Structure formats: structure tokens, C-alpha cells
Amino acid sequence: MKDIMTAPFMVEMIRTCTNMYAHGWDERNGGNISLMLEESDVREYGDVNRVLRTIPTGFSAPTLDGKYFLVTGTGKYFKNVQYAPDVNLGLVKLTDGGTNAQLLWGFTDGGKFTSEFPAHMMSHAVRISVNPANRVVMHCHPTNLLAMTYVHTLDEKAFTRTLWQMCTECIVVFPDGVNVLPWMLCGTNEIGEATADKMKTARLVVWAQHGLYGAGVDLDEAFGLIETAEKAAEIYMKIAHLPLVNTITDDQMHLLEGRFGVKAREGYLS
Ligand code: 13P
Ligand code: ZN
């Protein structure tokens, strides 16, 4: 058996948590990540039949039955993941139609997966149906995007267009735009279902006055989406109170579509 601490998925997960904390997106226990893995990814690092504990999930997710997830723990600090990965992370396998999670590694202090597990798993189920290569769902509290939800309309088209106008590359990185949920109680199946519904049409979902969800084929893609949207929000928060003299026009956005081979969300450009 190989040491699980040398597994590429583990190394990348730890680096990502550390990096997100360094960006200021994950204060205290803020934020959570889930990385979907196949049995072939994990079997050389441990006995997949050795179940440490079975944890009920409180929801069903039949399409994810048998899938493995490396996931951050509830109440755990991203700051600490690099120092004690086996306490702050867990490797689980969903069974019984997704109603149970078998703990195979981690959460050594008796902990369990993030309170946002419903939003993560329901979003995974939606994203793999849109793109079978999707593997990551990531949630965090990026400062400027959060600030923006206090001063900008939450209309999804308007919110997306503002972000696209803040940096030339935004429309290239997230042509699908951002979807927005109004404030809802976090850590519930209801916000999980609402988030997953929004994930049908975009890989970024803003939770107003709370944070952001990103989905991607790997940790880099989900991180990069969040990083780009947060950069745009930062520029917005720097200029929102100033007279706007210049912008990126829709004609220029169309030039970007052509040059980079992307298609902006239907109906979002004139
Ligand atoms: P957890 O500590 O349960 O992951 O919750 C953090 C969070 O950001 C809730 O939205
Ligand atoms: Zn949160």
C-alpha cells in the first residue's frame, strides 16, 4: 500500500486549502471542498473495504452511489489542514443511494464532513450530468464578492454582466456567468437543492451575504473560477462609488468570444 499522504489528490487538496486560506477566503472554519474520486484513484492507498464509521447524510443522491469523496470536515479550519490533514479531511464513500457515507480515512477526532455536504453532493450530481468530467465543488467566503451582494442587484444577468465588464478575461473564464441565490439558511438540504438547481446553468453560484460556490473538472479550475470572479468583484468595489467613464462594450465582448472560442450565456449580450 502506498502512503495516502503522497497521493496526488491529497497533495493538491492540502495545497488548495492552504492557498485559499492565504487568499483570505476561508476565515476560521469558513469554506469547504469536496473532490470526487474513483475507486481506481484510491485503492492503492488503502483498503476500500475497511469502514471506520458509517455516517448518515440526511439526503439521497442515487447517481453518486459508490463514489468516493475527499472532503473537508465541519468546523475545521483551512489554516490547519496542512498541519493535520487526517483530522481536518476525510475520505468517504457514498452508499445506500447516497443516504450513508462510509468513512475510510480521516476525521480522526470523531469529526464528520462539512455541514454543507448536501449542497456539495447535490451540486456534484448536477455538474456531472452537465459535464461528466466534473470532479470538484468548492465553497468559500471571498471578501469582495460578498461585499458586492450588499450593494449590487442580485439579478443574475446584471450581476454577471457587471463582473464581465470588470476584467477583459472574465467572459473567457466564465462565459456561463454566475447564478445568484438570495440569502437562505446554510447547512440545509433546501439550500443544497437550490444551489444544485443553479449549477445546471453555471459553474459559479453566489450565496448572497454569505459566499460563493465554484465547480470544476479539477481543483485548479474551481479555484481559478473563484479567483477570477473575486478579482472582478474587487475592481467593482473599488470603482462602484466613482463616475464610470469607460467600460468593456458588448461589441468588444463579442470580439473576445470569437478570439477565444467561447459563447457567452444566451441572451446576456446585446
Ligand atoms: P463547515 O465548517 O461545516 O464546513 O461550514 C463552513 C461554512 O462555510 C458554512 O457555510
Ligand atoms: Zn460558508
Side-chain angles (χ1 to χ4, degrees):
M1 260 334 144
K2 291 189 191 167
D3 179 359
I4 196 167
M5 296 315 300
T6 66
F9 58 78
M10 184 66 71
V11 171
E12 205 49 42
M13 182 74 150
I14 294 169
R15 284 182 184 162
T16 303
C17 290
T18 303
N19 197 13
M20 290 176 77
Y21 175 71
H23 275 68
W25 303 343
D26 297 276
E27 74 291 342
R28 199 175 183 275
N29 65 308
N32 21 78
I33 306 177
S34 57
L35 168 63
M36 191 167 83
L37 298 163
E38 304 297 330
E39 186 164 316
S40 55
D41 296 320
V42 300
R43 65 170 165 241
E44 53 185 330
Y45 299 102
D47 181 356
V48 292
N49 297 313
R50 198 171 140 260
V51 180
L52 304 173
R53 277 185 277 146
T54 298
I55 311 170
T57 63
F59 57 85
S60 70
T63 58
L64 300 181
D65 193 272
K67 297 286 187 192
Y68 295 75
F69 292 91
L70 184 62
V71 59
T72 53
T74 185
K76 302 304 186 201
Y77 295 22
F78 274 32
K79 173 175 78 68
N80 296 338
V81 169
Q82 62 178 320
Y83 305 115
D86 61 333
V87 176
N88 295 291
L89 302 175
L91 177 66
V92 297
K93 178 185 182 181
L94 288 192
T95 58
D96 308 308
T99 58
N100 282 317
Q102 294 179 338
L103 179 66
L104 303 173
W105 174 90
F107 301 146
T108 54
D109 64 348
K112 62 181 269 192
F113 42 72
T114 173
S115 60
E116 305 296 3
F117 207 54
H120 280 253
M121 294 304 110
M122 293 174 193
S123 293
H124 274 288
V126 165
R127 285 312 306 175
I128 47 168
S129 70
V130 176
N131 176 8
N134 196 84
R135 292 291 176 272
V136 175
V137 173
M138 189 181 275
H139 165 62
C140 59
H141 303 161
T143 312
N144 294 285
L145 270 160
L146 229 160
M148 202 171 148
T149 66
Y150 288 87
V151 297
H152 193 284
T153 169
L154 299 180
D155 176 77
E156 290 169 346
K157 180 176 169 184
F159 205 94
T160 295
R161 285 179 53 82
T162 296
L163 292 176
W164 282 351
Q165 287 163 354
M166 293 303 108
C167 303
T168 293
E169 301 219 329
C170 279
I171 194 167
V172 180
V173 175
F174 52 95
D176 43 343
V178 300
N179 285 338
V180 184
L181 281 182
W183 189 94
M184 289 179 72
L185 184 61
C186 55
T188 62
N189 286 354
E190 288 70 30
I191 201 169
E193 285 155 10
T195 306
D197 191 52
K198 294 290 185 191
M199 284 277 178
K200 288 177 183 162
T201 48
R203 293 163 299 157
L204 286 166
V205 179
V206 172
W207 280 7
Q209 294 86 48
H210 182 136
L212 181 65
Y213 269 76
V217 298
D218 55 24
L219 288 160
D220 260 0
E221 189 192 34
F223 182 94
L225 276 170
I226 291 172
E227 187 178 32
T228 308
E230 168 62 2
K231 175 68 161 279
E234 181 177 356
I235 295 165
Y236 176 77
M237 293 308 297
K238 282 187 197 295
I239 66 164
H241 58 292
L242 299 171
L244 193 68
V245 178
N246 301 302
T247 191
I248 304 170
T249 66
D250 282 20
D251 282 345
Q252 290 166 335
M253 300 271 188
H254 285 303
L255 290 175
L256 288 162
E257 285 184 297
R259 170 64 183 84
F260 293 97
V262 296
K263 185 81 195 80
R265 179 120 163 223
E266 195 63 42
Y268 274 33
L269 293 179
S270 55

